[in-house]
Amino acid sequence: MIVNRNNILILLISLFSLNVCAQVTLKPHYGLYLPKLGDVNSKISNDLSEFRRITGQPFPDTGELDEAPIWGVQIEYHTGEDYFFNANVAFYDNSVSSEYNSPSGSGERFNYERSIEMYDFMFNLHYYINYNSWARFNKYMGAGVGLMVLRANSITQSSFGDPTGHFDSDAEFTGNTLSGLISAGGTLRLQPALFLWAEGGVQYGNFGELDGSIRRIGSDQRETIISDSRFDLTGFYIRGGLGVNLPFLR
């Protein structure tokens, strides 16, 4: 009997794929991220102080860009007795604003908005301490590397007058940077294919200054600029969710 090598190759790939799929776990998650963003918040505070000085108006504070929910999903694969590898995708966004209307009823208005959106793509390796698939609780330590992608937007509008020419504008900035994290967490088995999990850690992601463009309100032209503050999203996080093994792929 003649054996077709292509058929053997296809069979081996299929068997390997089935083995991988049989060990895949889906882990959607939700949590809290606490990035630094100190330089950005300092710039926002200085902006408002300067605008108050120029106009003599009591514009309210915006608050700070800091902790906010983060959510995403992991796809995890059991690579060895105590080791798990996963790919993680997460999303974080935050915004602050200050709005003020003239109490005189003249219709004068001030609007100041700052927002950021971050997408996180990470590859993590988890080491479980004496992992046992039948144990009620398992704990692990982890480390990861990946890529952060950031978008920042700003809008400043005022009808109170602006001798500096900087009030009426909107700007967009983008950037990406390598990221890393260290973590510790655990899993609580509910059923053989279902468990709760949670982890905490610290993630590094310093973008520095961002490239962007600015448009003056009422103009169609955009100017290329560099942000005048540094974006550092290094910070602590906590997250958790429900883990689901995928036995239907066996």
Side-chain angles (χ1 to χ4, degrees):
M1 181 176 65
I2 299 176
V3 179
N4 189 307
R5 292 183 179 180
N6 289 335
N7 290 340
I8 292 176
L9 181 60
I10 292 172
L11 177 61
L12 290 174
I13 292 174
S14 299
L15 290 174
F16 175 76
S17 299
L18 287 174
N19 180 58
V20 170
C21 289
Q23 301 177 72
V24 167
T25 301
L26 189 65
K27 298 168 63 180
H29 58 80
Y30 182 84
L32 186 68
Y33 188 36
L34 298 87
K36 289 181 179 178
L37 291 168
D39 196 48
V40 176
N41 287 319
S42 178
K43 176 63 169 58
I44 291 173
S45 178
N46 291 339
D47 279 352
L48 289 175
S49 295
E50 181 67 6
F51 296 160
R52 294 186 190 111
R53 184 190 66 80
I54 292 172
T55 64
Q57 301 296 325
F59 301 142
D61 290 328
T62 62
E64 294 189 343
L65 291 167
D66 46 28
E67 69 269 9
I70 187 169
W71 52 273
V73 65
Q74 294 181 357
I75 298 178
E76 188 166 76
Y77 173 56
H78 191 178
T79 59
E81 184 175 352
D82 295 325
Y83 292 92
F84 287 72
F85 173 82
N86 74 55
N88 180 81
V89 178
F91 174 71
Y92 160 92
D93 69 329
N94 204 347
S95 62
V96 294
S97 63
S98 174
E99 294 186 19
Y100 179 78
N101 295 298
S102 174
S104 66
S106 61
E108 291 177 306
R109 181 174 179 269
F110 173 78
N111 181 45
Y112 181 96
E113 301 176 20
R114 298 294 185 268
S115 64
I116 58 174
E117 297 178 357
M118 185 273 288
Y119 296 89
D120 177 27
F121 306 91
M122 295 288 293
F123 296 100
N124 303 298
L125 183 64
H126 291 165
Y127 169 69
Y128 280 75
I129 302 170
N130 299 320
Y131 176 75
N132 185 336
S133 61
W134 293 103
R136 188 73 169 171
F137 178 75
N138 285 287
K139 55 184 178 296
Y140 65 84
M141 300 178 293
V145 294
L147 180 72
M148 278 184 172
V149 179
L150 182 65
R151 178 182 177 184
N153 295 310
S154 69
I155 296 176
T156 308
Q157 297 172 301
S158 175
S159 54
F160 286 96
D162 173 26
T164 67
H166 294 139
F167 273 8
D168 293 333
S169 64
D170 72 78
E172 299 178 356
F173 303 91
T174 57
N176 59 75
T177 187
L178 292 176
S179 177
L181 67 77
I182 54 174
S183 63
T187 63
L188 180 66
R189 184 172 61 87
L190 303 177
Q191 296 179 0
L194 196 66
F195 60 90
L196 296 174
W197 69 278
E199 72 175 37
V202 60
Q203 183 161 346
Y204 172 83
N206 190 348
F207 293 84
E209 297 173 338
L210 299 180
D211 294 326
S213 64
I214 189 171
R215 179 179 67 87
R216 308 300 174 185
I217 301 297
S219 171
D220 294 328
Q221 301 297 319
R222 300 197 71 91
E223 307 170 27
T224 300
I225 58 172
I226 297 176
S227 65
D228 49 10
S229 56
R230 299 178 61 85
F231 289 76
D232 185 358
L233 269 74
T234 301
F236 292 96
Y237 73 88
I238 54 173
R239 63 188 175 202
L242 188 67
V244 183
N245 297 323
L246 303 180
F248 57 85
L249 292 176
R250 291 183 184 274

